[in-house]
Structures are given as C-alpha cells and as structure tokens.
Amino acid sequence: MKKSVLILASLIAMIFVNVELSAQTATASATANASARIVVPLEIVKDVDLAFGNIAAGPAAGTVTIATDGSRSGNGGITLIAAGNSNSAATFSLTGYPNATFTIDVPVSTTIASGSDQMVVDNYVSDLGATSVLDGNGEATLNVGATLNVNSNQPSGLYTGTFDVIVAYN
C-alpha cells in the first residue's frame, strides 16, 4: 500500500509540476518605448501681392496672365499699358520642419472688384507643384500666378480682392 500511495503521490506531483510548467510558458511579455516629436507648425507669409498691372479694356473681352516668374501677357480685346505699370506674381515665404513635404492648395477662382464692377481671376498656378519639400533649413519660396478675365468695355478703376493659398504638412 505504501508503494501505491507513493506512486499516487508521485503522479499527483507530476500533474501539478506539469500544470505549473505549462502556466509558466503560456505567456510572455516585452517592453517597448513610445515617442513623439512635436515639430514647428508650417507657416506661410505673403511677401508680394499678385498684380496684373495697368490694362486698357476694349470693346471685346480679353485676359491678362501673370506667370509664376512675374511675366505678363495679354490676349483678346485688351491692351497692356507699360506706363506706370507694376505687375508681379504673388510670392510667399514658407517655414517649417526641415526636409518635410507639404501640399499647396490655390483657389479655382476669385473675384476682384471696383465698387460694383467685378472681374474674375482664375487658372491659379504655383511654381512648386501640388506636393513640395522644405529645404534643409525648413524654408521654401512659393510664387503664384493667375489669369484675369477682363470684360468687354470694363469700367476703369482700381480692382482689388483677396485669395487664399493653403499649405499643409503631408
């Protein structure tokens, strides 16, 4: 009987040891680090306004285009006036995290006005493309051009308006 009790006790001990070993190897853990870097916000500052210059309207509609390099061209029933002219592409300075990519969003169209008289500005273009990269110092210069649609017999006056350029980190 002692042998039976001893065998039974050995079997019970083996079961507990086996259960205990199984419980020890059923789980494992590891530790990882978590981190985040908060970077400076992307900023845009207007340096130069978009200016279409001096234009004489005629009996037919026409357009004036300012390229991203600031050059000006005319089409249709308008005359580009050189005297006292001041035309320019809009220029913006961007600053942010070095070598970061960003997107540029220019308007589809806007309106400029002189009193109740209006003209549409459209075909906005930028010289950096839809996605661009800040340089190693976190800087970029953005030039924006557009097309002014001059109506036939457009009344004289100084026409003004605003437009938004939106930049965002990718």
Side-chain angles (χ1 to χ4, degrees), residues 36 62 109 140:
S109 68

Side-chain angles (χ1 to χ4, degrees), residues 35-52:
S35 66
R37 179 185 310 263
I38 305 299
V39 300
V40 296
L42 183 59
E43 292 186 17
I44 182 170
V45 174
K46 187 256 316 173
D47 298 320
V48 177
D49 287 315
L50 176 62
F52 290 96

Side-chain angles (χ1 to χ4, degrees), residues 18-39:
N18 193 21
V19 169
E20 202 171 297
L21 288 175
S22 295
Q24 289 177 357
T25 60
T27 62
S29 69
T31 302
N33 294 322
S35 66
R37 179 185 310 263
I38 305 299
V39 300

Side-chain angles (χ1 to χ4, degrees), residues 75-138:
N75 226 334
I78 56 97
T79 302
L80 300 177
I81 306 299
N85 186 55
S86 177
N87 58 278
S88 62
T91 302
F92 301 88
S93 293
L94 285 73
T95 56
Y97 189 71
N99 302 308
T101 60
F102 61 95
T103 58
I104 301 164
D105 187 22
V106 294
V108 173
S109 68
T110 57
T111 302
I112 60 175
S114 175
S116 62
D117 299 315
Q118 298 181 345
M119 292 186 283
V120 172
V121 179
D122 60 9
N123 297 319
Y124 283 89
V125 294
S126 79
D127 62 346
L128 295 183
T131 301
S132 296
V133 180
L134 295 171
D135 68 16
N137 294 320

